[in-house]
Amino acid sequence: MTDMRRFLVAGNWKMNGYEARNRELCDGILAGLAAAEDVDVLVCPPYPFLASVNGLVRDSRVRLGAQNVSEHESGAYTGEVSAAMLKDVGCTYVIVGHSERRTLFGETDDQVAAKFRAALDADLTPILCVGETLEEREAMETEAVISRQIAAVVAATGIDAFASAVIAYEPVWAIGTGLVATPEQAQDVHNHIRGLLAAENADVAAGVQILYGGSMKGDNASGLLGMPDIDGGLIGGASLKSADFLAIVEAAAGL
Ligand code: PEP
C-alpha cells in the first residue's frame, strides 16, 4: 500500500450464516474495531441477511456489500437481485465476477463487465474479482488471463469507471485451499494489474485499491499487505470468525 490508498479488508461470507450467528460475528467485529481506525472494513453476507446485517452495522464504520448482482435493471428475471435493490437495503459495495460465479455458474467476462456497470449505475462500488487457475499459472498464462478479464471491463465501461471501483486479485488455486500466493507472487500480479490501468490513466491506476484474496489469514496477512501494490484483502474462510477476521484487520492497521 502507499500513503495515497487506504487498506480495505472485506469479508465474503459466501453461502454461510444465519441470523443468530451473524449477530455474534458482527458483535465480535464491532467490539474489536476501535484499534484499527485507518482500515476500511466490509462484510458481504448472503442476500437474505443484507437487511438485518445492515441493522447491525449501520451505526458503525463497517460497510455492507453483496456477493453478486444482476446485470439487468428490473423485470422478469426470476431469482435475480438488482443493483438498485442492493442499494436500497444499505449496500455500498458488491462483489462481481468471483471465480466461484465464473466457474460454477458460467459467468463470462462480458457478463461480469455488465454487472460491474450495473453496480456503478446504482452508485455501488463494484469489487471486480480476477484470477488465474492453477493450470493457467503452470502454462505461464497468468498475465494474459488477468489482462483479458480486466480488458473486458475497461472496454465496457471505460477506464474512468475504475476511479469508483475496487479490484480483487484472487488466484483460483489459492481460494479455500489453504494454499496462499507468496507476497512476491501476489505483488507481481498486482503490479501487472496496476500497469494495465496506468497505460490508460495513471491517476486512476494510482488510486485504485487492489485487494488480494486466497487463504489470507492472520498469520500470513502482514507479509502480503506489506507489498506496495496490495491494498487489502478479500477474505473467505477467515471472515467467518470475528477473531480471525480481526487478526487480518489488525495486521493491516499495524503496517
Ligand atoms: C474468496 O472466496 O474470496 C476467498 C478469498 O476465500 P478464502 O479466503 O477462503 O480462500
Side-chain angles (χ1 to χ4, degrees), residues 12 14 98 100 170 174-177 213-216 234-238:
N12 172 13
K14 309 195 185 187
H98 190 281
E100 286 154 16
E170 300 207 299
I175 296 180
T177 57
S215 301
M216 191 187 271
L234 182 54
I235 319 299

Side-chain angles (χ1 to χ4, degrees), residues 27-234:
D27 284 351
I29 294 171
L30 294 175
L33 265 193
E37 278 190 359
D38 289 338
V39 179
D40 293 335
V41 178
L42 168 70
V43 292
C44 301
Y47 286 146
F49 303 125
L50 287 170
S52 59
V53 172
N54 186 42
L56 298 172
V57 301
R58 85 176 137 218
D59 293 330
S60 77
R61 58 190 192 78
V62 175
R63 297 155 186 204
L64 184 70
Q67 301 171 18
N68 184 25
V69 64
S70 172
E71 63 270 45
H72 303 291
E73 222 178 288
S74 66
Y77 298 102
T78 302
E80 292 291 280
V81 174
S82 75
M85 292 173 189
L86 297 179
K87 183 79 183 171
D88 203 32
V89 295
C91 290
T92 49
Y93 287 80
V94 61
I95 298 169
V96 299
H98 190 281
S99 66
E100 286 154 16
R101 303 280 337 154
R102 292 178 190 261
T103 56
L104 301 174
F105 301 97
E107 287 188 12
T108 62
D109 288 339
D110 288 345
Q111 194 179 4
V112 172
K115 290 179 179 222
F116 183 99
R117 177 191 279 275
L120 286 174
D121 287 347
D123 199 24
L124 293 171
T125 302
I127 300 178
L128 170 66
C129 298
V130 296
E132 82 288 1
T133 63
L134 186 57
E135 224 179 8
E136 289 163 342
R137 174 161 283 265
E138 286 174 350
M140 315 283 274
E141 287 169 5
T142 299
E143 292 196 354
V145 169
I146 306 287
S147 300
R148 190 201 73 222
Q149 291 171 334
I150 301 266
V153 181
V154 174
T157 63
I159 185 68
D160 291 353
F162 282 81
S164 313
V166 173
I167 297 174
Y169 167 55
E170 300 207 299
V172 178
W173 48 272
I175 296 180
T177 57
L179 294 174
V180 60
T182 65
E184 293 74 20
Q185 281 175 324
Q187 167 59 26
D188 282 351
V189 180
H190 283 232
N191 179 52
H192 173 68
I193 293 170
R194 209 177 294 285
L196 290 172
L197 301 180
E200 308 270 341
N201 183 322
D203 290 341
V204 169
V208 71
Q209 287 170 312
I210 308 178
L211 315 183
Y212 168 81
S215 301
M216 191 187 271
K217 311 239 176 309
D219 59 6
N220 59 32
S222 301
L224 289 156
L225 296 173
M227 302 310 275
D229 287 298
I230 302 184
D231 309 310
L234 182 54

Side-chain angles (χ1 to χ4, degrees), residues 13 17-27 49 52-53 56:
W13 295 1
Y18 49 89
E19 297 284 7
R21 187 169 153 197
N22 301 343
R23 178 175 294 276
E24 199 182 303
L25 178 53
C26 289
D27 284 351
F49 303 125
S52 59
V53 172
L56 298 172

